[in-house]
Every structure is written in structure tokens, then in C-alpha cells.
Amino acid sequence: IVASAPSGVTLATGGPNLSVIEYDDMQPAPAGSTSNRIDFVALVSGRLNDLDNQFELIYAYDNIVGDWSGATIGVENADGSAGTSYTGPLSDGLVICWDYREQPTDPTLLSFDVKVQPSASGGTVEAQVFNVVDMPGAAEVLETLSLDVATSDSDNDGISDELDNCAYTANPEQVDADMDGFGNMCDGDFNQDMIINFRDVVMMMGAFGTADAAIDINTDGVVGHEDIEIFKTMWLSEPGPSGVR
């Protein structure tokens, strides 16, 4: 670059794979608004070389006059969504080199788990998974998977979990005397406050020896000792779980 070169832009080639763009006596817009001036050359390689120190883009600066601290120098992809920039000061003789490095193309295997609720038993669920990679040229990938969920019968009583009013306690008859959505075999919550505690003990003792169907846990026709033993296993828990409530 020489100071006596005319103002403007000069294009040249250094062979089929090298472009030379020379900017002489450049000034901030609007032209003539300041005395700031700068010369620089851009060397652009048309052939990528992934080896170290084989630069694809080189900027060289000279004849800098005035303050150019607000200048932006960098490279970016076609749509401007990714790139890199030089943030240091400009000075005469400065050369900035960009070295293209091939990004890995081998696929990366991503694994994930899908948690299916009991209500999906025997049906089909759709799962969507996507990833975004913070890398120039990378794109978001969205995959949609359809999964057939096997029918689940956790307590092996012949009633699938999504239809079982005691999903984890076998009760093939599905007796629900108080019609609260919880079968008798997993429902010691007699006062419907969603906790099995002393209030329910009082109600059970009051019905002991009777045929109170709502408190007859094992549904044998009488509130007796077997019901008390089952009741103990539910102590301070919630009724259920139930697939129908």
C-alpha cells in the first residue's frame, strides 16, 4: 500500500484461487466529514486449507490517519447469524489473519429418556426432541418420535393401570363403595380429606363389626381385623393411586 495511491477500490487476482481487494484513502461516511483516512488490502483465498497457518483471509493496514476505534473488522456467515471479529486497535503495518478450520462432521449420538404417565398405557405418545449447537454453520435439528406404550398392569389384577382404581393394589372386583375414584383396597381415607390419619381411625372403630361398605376395605361384608391390618399399611399416606381419578 502506498500513500500516493488514488482513492478508491482496486480488484486484482493472484491466480485462480486468490483475490486481492485494495482500498485506498478510505474515509468515514459521509465523505469529507472528517480528516480520517485509512488504506487496507484484503487477500481472499478461494481454496480452503485446513492446515495450521494456511490463512484463507488476510487484512493488512497502512497509512492510518485519525481515530478508527469505532471500526468493525470481522467475518461472518451468509446470513450474519455467526461469525468472529477483531477487537484490538488498528495501527500501521497491522496484519489480521483468519484461518478456516474444518468443523467436525461426524455425527454425535444424543440419548434421552421419555417418562410416560400411567394414563398413556396402551396408547401412543409423541415425543419431540431438538438440539441447538453454538457453532458457525450449525442448524437446529428437530426430531419427532411416536412411541407405542404397552398396556401396564402393575398389580397384575387384570385391570390396566389407566382403568384401575387401585393401580398398585390388586382388586379385580374394583369395589369403590364411597364412589370417590379410589377402590376400597387402597382407600383408608374415610372422611375424604386425602390423608389417612387419626380421623379415619375413629371412623373405622365406630364401624367395627358392621357391614359399612365404605369402611369394609377387603370387601368381605364386615369391618373386621383384616381391614385394620390393611389400614395400618396405609397409615399417613394418601389414598390410591388410582388410574381413574
Side-chain angles (χ1 to χ4, degrees), residues 2 10 28 48 58 68 101 200 204 206 215 218:
V2 294
T10 303
L48 299 180
I58 299 174
W68 288 86
R101 302 304 302 270
D200 303 299
M204 173 168 269
I215 300 181
N218 67 354

Side-chain angles (χ1 to χ4, degrees), residues 106-193:
D106 294 337
T108 299
L109 179 64
L110 302 178
S111 60
F112 64 96
D113 296 323
V114 176
K115 184 177 182 179
V116 180
Q117 298 297 325
S119 58
S121 175
T124 300
V125 298
E126 186 176 273
Q128 288 189 332
V129 81
F130 70 92
N131 73 298
V132 180
V133 181
D134 186 12
M135 180 187 300
E140 177 178 316
V141 176
L142 173 66
E143 293 288 347
T144 301
L145 305 175
S146 292
L147 306 174
D148 293 326
V149 183
T151 300
S152 177
D153 181 11
S154 300
D155 55 13
N156 296 311
D157 62 359
I159 310 297
S160 60
D161 287 350
E162 76 273 14
L163 300 176
D164 196 336
N165 60 18
C166 283
Y168 300 151
T169 304
N171 64 332
E173 295 82 8
Q174 295 286 286
V175 175
D176 178 14
D178 57 6
M179 302 180 66
D180 62 356
F182 299 107
N184 281 32
M185 282 296 293
C186 59
D187 186 10
D189 177 28
F190 308 127
N191 67 346
Q192 312 297 330
D193 64 356

Side-chain angles (χ1 to χ4, degrees), residues 26-42:
M26 295 293 101
Q27 53 186 294
S33 60
T34 73
S35 60
N36 295 350
R37 299 292 185 271
I38 190 171
D39 294 347
F40 62 95
V41 170

